[in-house]
Amino acid sequence: MDNFYHELEGFSNTVQIVDNRHYQSIPDDWFISVIDVRASTEAIKAGRYRDVNFVGAAAITSHLNLISRDLPFMFGGDGATILIKKSMYGVAQEVLQSLSFYAKESFDFDLHAGLVPVSAVRAMGRDVKVAKYLSGESPPQAMFKGGGVSLAESLVKSSPEYRVAPKCCFSKEKIFAGLSCLVAGSQSHRRQG
């Protein structure tokens, strides 16, 4: 199932976004990579929207640039969620550690960043289903259902066992590379269910 997302058939009609037939369950051995800027509401109120947005976008671009261009992800403004294969776990952990390190060093932001096994959210009664919307943008837009992504976000925020500690594993240039082409297009990513 290593090519699960690559081989997932996409759709291009927006009406089909609500069609459950397009949503497939992510393999049980995948992980949910979660990044959230802590105290982002206060930072935005203080006029730091661009900084918060930049770190959220960097969460996506660092995964796509350093792990794989073919990953389902969701941009949340103050963070992001990316689904990764089991074989990518080690590199993803280093990406999250580096992102946390540079978010603190460059913006004085603390992050909730971590990896949650898909199997763990399923054991808690939620699922992680994904559909691939072919909007004409590259990469395609991922749509999520099943409640597993929201649960993973809550677990990373509330449970230290899923979080990673800041550590400089990659250069700042690699972590923050390639943002200009992604920030505008990513705002339309959304979660269903």
Side-chain angles (χ1 to χ4, degrees):
M1 296 293 284
D2 222 33
N3 293 322
F4 167 81
Y5 188 63
H6 179 74
E7 295 175 355
L8 184 65
E9 186 175 346
F11 61 93
S12 57
N13 187 336
T14 56
V15 174
Q16 296 175 298
I17 289 173
V18 297
D19 189 339
N20 288 330
R21 292 175 296 180
H22 292 291
Y23 291 81
Q24 300 296 320
S25 291
I26 288 288
D28 212 43
D29 63 350
W30 280 41
F31 288 81
I32 306 162
S33 181
V34 175
I35 306 92
D36 174 74
V37 177
R38 297 177 63 183
S40 59
T41 302
E42 291 80 0
I44 291 168
K45 286 180 180 177
R48 301 192 63 196
Y49 171 79
R50 289 182 182 274
D51 292 343
V52 171
N53 194 257
F54 184 91
V55 173
I60 295 171
T61 57
S62 57
H63 279 72
L64 299 184
N65 291 337
L66 297 169
I67 303 173
S68 171
R69 300 295 298 178
D70 195 29
L71 296 174
F73 65 86
M74 178 186 66
F75 178 68
D78 62 349
T81 305
I82 304 100
L83 303 184
I84 65 159
K85 307 170 190 177
K86 180 181 179 181
S87 59
M88 301 171 175
Y89 182 90
V91 180
Q93 186 176 47
E94 291 182 345
V95 167
L96 292 176
Q97 290 175 314
S98 299
L99 187 64
S100 297
F101 179 87
Y102 294 121
K104 185 66 174 178
E105 180 190 74
S106 301
F107 298 99
D108 198 28
F109 286 154
D110 292 311
L111 302 186
H112 286 135
L115 292 153
V116 179
V118 169
S119 59
V121 298
R122 287 201 173 119
M124 297 178 192
R126 305 286 180 86
D127 199 4
V128 184
K129 294 185 176 183
V130 64
K132 188 190 295 185
Y133 174 50
L134 307 175
S135 63
E137 298 177 12
S138 182
Q141 294 185 26
M143 306 288 176
F144 300 119
K145 277 191 176 183
V149 167
S150 295
L151 177 57
E153 292 168 354
S154 297
L155 289 171
V156 169
K157 290 177 184 179
S158 64
S159 182
E161 70 177 283
Y162 293 108
R163 290 200 294 268
V164 301
K167 183 180 178 183
C168 180
C169 303
F170 290 101
S171 70
K172 183 189 294 187
E173 290 73 21
K174 287 185 176 180
I175 292 297
F176 291 147
L179 292 175
S180 60
C181 64
L182 187 65
V183 174
S186 295
Q187 303 221 26
S188 58
H189 287 82
R190 49 197 172 275
R191 177 172 57 234
Q192 299 283 325

